[in-house]
mmCIF file of all heavy atoms in Angstrom:
data_model
loop_
_atom_site.group_PDB
_atom_site.id
_atom_site.type_symbol
_atom_site.label_atom_id
_atom_site.label_comp_id
_atom_site.label_asym_id
_atom_site.label_seq_id
_atom_site.Cartn_x
_atom_site.Cartn_y
_atom_site.Cartn_z
ATOM 1 N N VAL A 19 64.164 -19.349 85.312
ATOM 2 C CA VAL A 19 63.011 -19.778 86.127
ATOM 3 C C VAL A 19 63.266 -21.243 86.462
ATOM 4 O O VAL A 19 63.132 -22.103 85.588
ATOM 5 C CB VAL A 19 61.676 -19.623 85.368
ATOM 6 C CG1 VAL A 19 60.513 -20.174 86.194
ATOM 7 C CG2 VAL A 19 61.417 -18.164 85.010
ATOM 8 N N SER A 27 66.435 -20.571 75.335
ATOM 9 C CA SER A 27 65.855 -21.692 74.607
ATOM 10 C C SER A 27 64.337 -21.508 74.535
ATOM 11 O O SER A 27 63.753 -20.735 75.306
ATOM 12 C CB SER A 27 66.222 -23.013 75.278
ATOM 13 O OG SER A 27 65.883 -22.964 76.624
ATOM 14 N N ALA A 53 54.214 -34.645 76.756
ATOM 15 C CA ALA A 53 54.139 -34.046 75.407
ATOM 16 C C ALA A 53 55.319 -33.123 75.128
ATOM 17 O O ALA A 53 55.495 -32.660 74.004
ATOM 18 C CB ALA A 53 52.828 -33.277 75.267
ATOM 19 N N ALA A 86 52.269 -31.100 92.279
ATOM 20 C CA ALA A 86 52.577 -31.418 90.869
ATOM 21 C C ALA A 86 54.034 -31.113 90.566
ATOM 22 O O ALA A 86 54.700 -31.843 89.829
ATOM 23 C CB ALA A 86 51.658 -30.620 89.951
ATOM 24 N N ASP A 103 48.808 -10.670 98.054
ATOM 25 C CA ASP A 103 49.060 -12.109 97.911
ATOM 26 C C ASP A 103 50.448 -12.418 97.329
ATOM 27 O O ASP A 103 50.868 -13.570 97.319
ATOM 28 C CB ASP A 103 48.002 -12.750 96.993
ATOM 29 C CG ASP A 103 46.608 -12.695 97.602
ATOM 30 O OD1 ASP A 103 46.508 -12.539 98.834
ATOM 31 O OD2 ASP A 103 45.632 -12.799 96.842
ATOM 32 N N ARG A 119 44.074 -8.338 82.565
ATOM 33 C CA ARG A 119 43.217 -7.371 83.267
ATOM 34 C C ARG A 119 43.973 -6.569 84.311
ATOM 35 O O ARG A 119 43.555 -5.499 84.722
ATOM 36 C CB ARG A 119 42.046 -8.105 83.927
ATOM 37 C CG ARG A 119 41.072 -8.644 82.911
ATOM 38 C CD ARG A 119 40.277 -9.821 83.443
ATOM 39 N NE ARG A 119 39.556 -10.474 82.362
ATOM 40 C CZ ARG A 119 40.110 -11.332 81.504
ATOM 41 N NH1 ARG A 119 41.390 -11.657 81.588
ATOM 42 N NH2 ARG A 119 39.397 -11.869 80.545
ATOM 43 N N LEU A 139 54.477 -11.153 82.409
ATOM 44 C CA LEU A 139 53.549 -10.026 82.290
ATOM 45 C C LEU A 139 52.795 -10.096 80.971
ATOM 46 O O LEU A 139 53.362 -9.927 79.896
ATOM 47 C CB LEU A 139 54.324 -8.695 82.368
ATOM 48 C CG LEU A 139 53.482 -7.431 82.173
ATOM 49 C CD1 LEU A 139 52.456 -7.254 83.292
ATOM 50 C CD2 LEU A 139 54.378 -6.202 82.071
ATOM 51 N N LEU A 158 60.628 -3.579 86.454
ATOM 52 C CA LEU A 158 62.088 -3.463 86.415
ATOM 53 C C LEU A 158 62.559 -2.345 87.352
ATOM 54 O O LEU A 158 63.542 -2.514 88.080
ATOM 55 C CB LEU A 158 62.580 -3.171 84.989
ATOM 56 C CG LEU A 158 62.313 -4.231 83.913
ATOM 57 C CD1 LEU A 158 62.953 -3.801 82.593
ATOM 58 C CD2 LEU A 158 62.842 -5.598 84.304
ATOM 59 N N ARG A 170 48.941 -11.840 74.262
ATOM 60 C CA ARG A 170 47.771 -12.715 74.424
ATOM 61 C C ARG A 170 46.541 -12.180 73.694
ATOM 62 O O ARG A 170 45.430 -12.590 73.963
ATOM 63 C CB ARG A 170 47.469 -12.944 75.902
ATOM 64 C CG ARG A 170 47.420 -11.712 76.738
ATOM 65 C CD ARG A 170 46.157 -10.902 76.618
ATOM 66 N NE ARG A 170 45.038 -11.538 77.255
ATOM 67 C CZ ARG A 170 43.766 -11.333 76.936
ATOM 68 N NH1 ARG A 170 43.453 -10.467 75.961
ATOM 69 N NH2 ARG A 170 42.793 -11.935 77.564
ATOM 70 N N ASN A 181 39.886 -12.679 70.981
ATOM 71 C CA ASN A 181 40.740 -11.493 70.865
ATOM 72 C C ASN A 181 41.395 -11.555 69.490
ATOM 73 O O ASN A 181 41.230 -12.538 68.771
ATOM 74 C CB ASN A 181 41.832 -11.509 71.942
ATOM 75 C CG ASN A 181 41.265 -11.306 73.334
ATOM 76 O OD1 ASN A 181 40.853 -10.211 73.690
ATOM 77 N ND2 ASN A 181 41.215 -12.371 74.115
ATOM 78 N N THR A 182 42.134 -10.532 69.136
ATOM 79 C CA THR A 182 42.905 -10.576 67.891
ATOM 80 C C THR A 182 44.367 -10.719 68.292
ATOM 81 O O THR A 182 44.921 -9.834 68.958
ATOM 82 C CB THR A 182 42.676 -9.282 67.074
ATOM 83 O OG1 THR A 182 41.288 -9.236 66.707
ATOM 84 C CG2 THR A 182 43.535 -9.264 65.829
ATOM 85 N N VAL A 201 54.182 -16.114 73.439
ATOM 86 C CA VAL A 201 52.840 -15.867 72.883
ATOM 87 C C VAL A 201 51.839 -16.872 73.455
ATOM 88 O O VAL A 201 52.135 -18.063 73.593
ATOM 89 C CB VAL A 201 52.882 -15.947 71.330
ATOM 90 C CG1 VAL A 201 51.478 -15.870 70.740
ATOM 91 C CG2 VAL A 201 53.755 -14.818 70.770
ATOM 92 N N PRO A 203 48.477 -18.166 72.293
ATOM 93 C CA PRO A 203 47.447 -18.204 71.246
ATOM 94 C C PRO A 203 46.115 -18.721 71.778
ATOM 95 O O PRO A 203 45.105 -18.630 71.081
ATOM 96 C CB PRO A 203 48.010 -19.181 70.205
ATOM 97 C CG PRO A 203 49.380 -19.536 70.668
ATOM 98 C CD PRO A 203 49.441 -19.259 72.128
ATOM 99 N N LEU A 218 52.187 -22.084 65.645
ATOM 100 C CA LEU A 218 53.261 -22.281 64.668
ATOM 101 C C LEU A 218 53.686 -20.935 64.074
ATOM 102 O O LEU A 218 54.877 -20.682 63.880
ATOM 103 C CB LEU A 218 52.815 -23.259 63.581
ATOM 104 C CG LEU A 218 52.390 -24.653 64.099
ATOM 105 C CD1 LEU A 218 52.066 -25.584 62.947
ATOM 106 C CD2 LEU A 218 53.443 -25.271 65.005
ATOM 107 N N HIS A 233 43.688 -29.409 78.758
ATOM 108 C CA HIS A 233 42.822 -30.014 79.789
ATOM 109 C C HIS A 233 42.654 -31.486 79.430
ATOM 110 O O HIS A 233 42.476 -31.797 78.247
ATOM 111 C CB HIS A 233 41.467 -29.299 79.833
ATOM 112 C CG HIS A 233 40.690 -29.553 81.089
ATOM 113 N ND1 HIS A 233 40.089 -30.771 81.359
ATOM 114 C CD2 HIS A 233 40.435 -28.760 82.155
ATOM 115 C CE1 HIS A 233 39.486 -30.707 82.541
ATOM 116 N NE2 HIS A 233 39.679 -29.495 83.047
ATOM 117 N N ASP A 244 36.331 -24.039 75.974
ATOM 118 C CA ASP A 244 36.266 -23.937 74.502
ATOM 119 C C ASP A 244 37.636 -23.745 73.871
ATOM 120 O O ASP A 244 37.809 -23.917 72.672
ATOM 121 C CB ASP A 244 35.414 -22.727 74.085
ATOM 122 C CG ASP A 244 33.963 -22.922 74.460
ATOM 123 O OD1 ASP A 244 33.578 -24.063 74.756
ATOM 124 O OD2 ASP A 244 33.230 -21.913 74.474
ATOM 125 N N ARG A 257 55.133 -31.025 68.838
ATOM 126 C CA ARG A 257 56.026 -31.647 67.852
ATOM 127 C C ARG A 257 56.233 -30.700 66.659
ATOM 128 O O ARG A 257 57.365 -30.464 66.233
ATOM 129 C CB ARG A 257 55.390 -32.969 67.390
ATOM 130 C CG ARG A 257 56.231 -33.772 66.429
ATOM 131 C CD ARG A 257 55.646 -35.168 66.204
ATOM 132 N NE ARG A 257 54.228 -35.195 65.853
ATOM 133 C CZ ARG A 257 53.735 -34.864 64.645
ATOM 134 N NH1 ARG A 257 54.547 -34.500 63.674
ATOM 135 N NH2 ARG A 257 52.438 -34.927 64.412
ATOM 136 N N ARG A 260 58.259 -27.475 67.648
ATOM 137 C CA ARG A 260 59.683 -27.792 67.782
ATOM 138 C C ARG A 260 60.378 -27.825 66.427
ATOM 139 O O ARG A 260 61.474 -27.297 66.262
ATOM 140 C CB ARG A 260 59.828 -29.177 68.406
ATOM 141 C CG ARG A 260 60.230 -29.083 69.828
ATOM 142 C CD ARG A 260 60.895 -30.397 70.224
ATOM 143 N NE ARG A 260 60.683 -30.548 71.635
ATOM 144 C CZ ARG A 260 60.189 -31.614 72.216
ATOM 145 N NH1 ARG A 260 59.898 -32.682 71.513
ATOM 146 N NH2 ARG A 260 60.016 -31.628 73.505
ATOM 147 N N GLU A 264 63.378 -25.369 65.265
ATOM 148 C CA GLU A 264 64.697 -25.841 64.800
ATOM 149 C C GLU A 264 65.043 -25.203 63.468
ATOM 150 O O GLU A 264 66.172 -24.767 63.236
ATOM 151 C CB GLU A 264 64.700 -27.374 64.660
ATOM 152 C CG GLU A 264 64.915 -28.057 66.001
ATOM 153 C CD GLU A 264 64.505 -29.527 65.981
ATOM 154 O OE1 GLU A 264 64.440 -30.126 64.888
ATOM 155 O OE2 GLU A 264 64.235 -30.059 67.085
ATOM 156 N N GLU A 270 68.522 -18.381 61.411
ATOM 157 C CA GLU A 270 68.890 -17.141 62.105
ATOM 158 C C GLU A 270 70.356 -16.765 61.883
ATOM 159 O O GLU A 270 71.220 -17.614 61.904
ATOM 160 C CB GLU A 270 68.639 -17.262 63.606
ATOM 161 C CG GLU A 270 67.284 -16.779 64.038
ATOM 162 C CD GLU A 270 66.995 -15.318 63.732
ATOM 163 O OE1 GLU A 270 67.506 -14.450 64.449
ATOM 164 O OE2 GLU A 270 66.237 -15.050 62.801
#
Side-chain angles (χ1 to χ4, degrees):
V19 176
S27 53
D103 295 339
R119 291 156 191 80
L139 177 65
L158 297 184
R170 49 78 72 205
N181 291 287
T182 296
V201 173
L218 302 184
H233 197 288
D244 293 345
R257 183 170 51 75
R260 256 203 207 129
E264 279 162 21
E270 268 300 283

